[in-house]
Amino acid sequence: MIYITRRERFNAAHRLFRPDYSDDQNMEIFGKCSNPNWHGHNYTLFVTLKGEVKPETGFLANLKDLSTIIRREITDKLDHKNMNLEVDFMMGKLASTENLAISIWEVLNEPVKQLGASLHCIKIEETENNYVEYYGQ
Amino acid sequence: MIYITRRERFNAAHRLFRPDYSDDQNMEIFGKCSNPNWHGHNYTLFVTLKGEVKPETGFLANLKDLSTIIRREITDKLDHKNMNLEVDFMMGKLASTENLAISIWEVLNEPVKQLGASLHCIKIEETENNYVEYYGQ
Amino acid sequence: MIYITRRERFNAAHRLFRPDYSDDQNMEIFGKCSNPNWHGHNYTLFVTLKGEVKPETGFLANLKDLSTIIRREITDKLDHKNMNLEVDFMMGKLASTENLAISIWEVLNEPVKQLGASLHCIKIEETENNYVEYYGQ
Amino acid sequence: MIYITRRERFNAAHRLFRPDYSDDQNMEIFGKCSNPNWHGHNYTLFVTLKGEVKPETGFLANLKDLSTIIRREITDKLDHKNMNLEVDFMMGKLASTENLAISIWEVLNEPVKQLGASLHCIKIEETENNYVEYYGQ
Amino acid sequence: MIYITRRERFNAAHRLFRPDYSDDQNMEIFGKCSNPNWHGHNYTLFVTLKGEVKPETGFLANLKDLSTIIRREITDKLDHKNMNLEVDFMMGKLASTENLAISIWEVLNEPVKQLGASLHCIKIEETENNYVEYYGQ
Amino acid sequence: MIYITRRERFNAAHRLFRPDYSDDQNMEIFGKCSNPNWHGHNYTLFVTLKGEVKPETGFLANLKDLSTIIRREITDKLDHKNMNLEVDFMMGKLASTENLAISIWEVLNEPVKQLGASLHCIKIEETENNYVEYYGQ
């Protein structure tokens, strides 16, 4: 069993808030992250696959193919976008890094199987001081 | 003559566009950076001062005081904000990294003099692949 | 189950030595790390919590609250301090990164529970070439 | 149980290819990584040990001793070398990062035991966007 | 006058040697960098332009266009290549980082003018411990 | 004219204080940096040389030779040491990063000339948020 990780990046706007709360209530819970005029981040995404090395290539999976899947399914939809308004797999969800990691897992879990590997971990760095990891359960 | 640099960070939303252009024209010139729903970045700001070391402290300037000035004048206004809509010193300007660097210079140039030093450079990293430097002329 | 990590930093002096050994014996075992005049590091601390995402916030835990706990319990006591002489939870212990990680676990394990999460890992980077991880058992 | 990690670096040339394939076939499978004239990388190696802290030193293992073993067994053989032509433990293998991680595990697994610790993980970063981890099974 | 910098990366093999010297003589002067079987690096290239901000865009130059020029003229030729054998603008030159920086300057100096800016600096990082800067004179 | 830079690192303890001041006065001016029990840092030193590329080597200067000089003259004296008590070229000086950079310039300025190059800049990073540069005048 070996683990390979591909790093991809995207820049997005978001806002943490509940639509059933007033701006004041959202500010109390989410602080400046609830700014109604949005803010944004350079997000760094790490996708880790696990499985066995294929003897004919020496690869667990071709990282170029993994990158293609991540860009098509995830970062092309998030990059230079508003996470709350424009990203299909985040619609109706609180735009926290936790929910983003879980949602990306759900989107990628099936497509990466065509590479002959299993999804192991989604890690997202929101700032240099914060990151979230999700292992699918 | 010695140079000291303080790094500060802020996360902001922005959009590159001209209000006198249509969305299509803005897309043609600014690409995905003109997304009407905004996007955002983790900006890293480097403020460099120059001057002479004070014999009584061994400092050019106290970096804690410099940090206080940068936060009060710049990053408190930009952090978790929308650069186009909420930041007084960016109002009516194209929200490019170039204009942001020039504007930060203009805001900081006078206040840092009280530290007994001169402003030498404003450097802003927008992503790991791009940065801008301005030396005041 | 999701994992969130907060990074905090502190700068401290320390010395690796056993008071029951001579300086020569300490030098033999601990090398230059046993310098009787101390040396120091920029330590980077990563605190990882695990638990379930709260549906009402989208958070496992509020990272600002986690940061407040880490600073009050750990980094305010270590930053710009001498780890051997001034830090209550390191008193009488060999000031190795291993012991520091275990001690920080012991201090933080209870307080973080008030965030509705469990402590998962304490990671400390002492230099760019060395780090220690402790998972509580 | 505690985990310590030592980072070491080496710069090497390599080529991904199968000698039983034509250059065209290799290009189809391995892309530009199969360039017959070689290419190269700054590899970063992370070696993680696990075990119990020794009460008499506060260490799991002396990291200087671990560094000495890694350099003697691994990086002195790889640094400024051609991984396909000159490195005994890579001879006859596809020079993928996966195979490199597994091979380094096999070389280091016994020698690190003399430090009173067990090998836990070999991690290799090939570029800032790709890394591989192997846990020995 | 403002300065903008674009970072690009390439991975290449090279060897430091003089063809009029024996392997022993090359080893004496260039050390392990003269390995006849090649070695390689992850090179990081920083291209800095200078000029005036265009009022109609807020840009000195469009960084996407700068990236296109750098890739077409430089990194597409160097990435996953052997610098001594396959790169037209390095032919017949000692493959040092100094000569690489000067050669890249010579290649890029004219093409970047079409962006309405002047080339200011070529910086190349060969490892985390070494870099070279060239300002064109 | 080309510029080459070598990065070296050292870990040291220090204290910012004036012996003619009381602890309270020192605390007022230097804050927690004046802790009488010391604190410390991982310092990163960048030494930049300038000069002409030698046609016979393609080098401005051999970076291995530069590293040897920096280690012998500077980092062997500072690493795992107390900057106030044990470093000859810092004796009797306020142990600020500014004074450290100036002192390192004074020590290195002559020795590097034997490499056929001139000292251009001493840069010292004390933390990820602070650095100092000195150009010799």
Side-chain angles (χ1 to χ4, degrees), chain B residues 24-82:
Chain B
D24 281 357
Q25 285 175 302
N26 279 311
M27 184 61 69
E28 196 177 335
I29 297 177
F30 299 107
K32 56 189 181 182
C33 297
S34 74
N35 179 7
N37 288 313
W38 319 99
H39 68 286
H41 296 288
N42 300 342
Y43 290 90
T44 309
L45 169 65
F46 298 82
V47 177
T48 302
L49 303 185
K50 66 180 172 190
E52 291 185 20
V53 177
K54 278 74 180 169
E56 62 274 20
T57 60
F59 290 157
L60 166 54
N62 189 315
L63 283 167
K64 196 170 175 181
D65 295 338
L66 175 56
S67 176
T68 300
I69 292 173
I70 299 171
R71 293 185 186 206
R72 184 186 65 223
E73 302 288 341
I74 305 293
T75 57
D76 285 354
K77 294 180 177 175
L78 279 162
D79 191 40
H80 286 75
K81 289 286 167 33
N82 185 307

Side-chain angles (χ1 to χ4, degrees), chain F residues 34-45:
Chain F
S34 74
N35 179 7
N37 288 313
W38 318 99
H39 67 285
H41 296 287
N42 300 341
Y43 290 91
T44 308
L45 169 64

Side-chain angles (χ1 to χ4, degrees), chain A residues 116-127:
Chain A
S118 305
L119 189 56
H120 175 66
C121 183
I122 298 297
K123 176 181 173 181
I124 303 176
E125 292 181 356
E126 194 185 56
T127 73

Side-chain angles (χ1 to χ4, degrees), chain C residues 66-111:
Chain C
L66 176 55
S67 177
T68 300
I69 292 174
I70 299 171
R71 292 184 186 208
R72 183 186 65 223
E73 302 288 341
I74 304 295
T75 57
D76 284 355
K77 294 181 177 176
L78 280 162
D79 191 41
H80 286 75
K81 291 285 167 32
N82 185 307
M83 200 187 300
N84 299 69
L85 301 180
E86 299 178 292
V87 180
D88 56 3
F89 56 78
M90 290 301 290
M91 286 299 167
K93 301 177 185 173
L94 268 158
S96 67
T97 316
E98 287 92 329
N99 281 342
L100 183 59
I102 294 170
S103 300
I104 290 175
W105 175 284
E106 290 166 353
V107 173
L108 286 181
N109 193 32
E110 281 306 314

Side-chain angles (χ1 to χ4, degrees), chain D residues 11-15 36-39 77-88 90-91 95, chain E residues 13 35-40:
Chain D
N11 310 315
H14 82 145
R15 179 195 174 194
N37 287 314
W38 319 100
H39 68 285
K77 294 180 178 178
L78 279 162
D79 191 39
H80 285 75
K81 291 285 166 33
N82 185 308
M83 199 187 299
N84 299 70
L85 301 179
E86 298 179 292
V87 180
D88 56 2
M90 288 302 289
M91 287 298 167
Chain E
N35 179 7
N37 288 313
W38 319 97
H39 68 285

Side-chain angles (χ1 to χ4, degrees), chain F residues 13-17 38 82-87 91 93 95:
Chain F
H14 81 147
R15 178 195 174 195
L16 294 179
F17 77 113
W38 318 99
N82 185 308
M83 200 187 298
N84 299 70
L85 302 179
E86 300 179 291
V87 180
M91 286 299 167
K93 301 177 186 173

Side-chain angles (χ1 to χ4, degrees), chain D residues 26-27 51-52 55-56 76 105:
Chain D
N26 280 312
M27 185 59 70
E52 292 184 18
E56 62 275 19
D76 285 355
W105 175 285

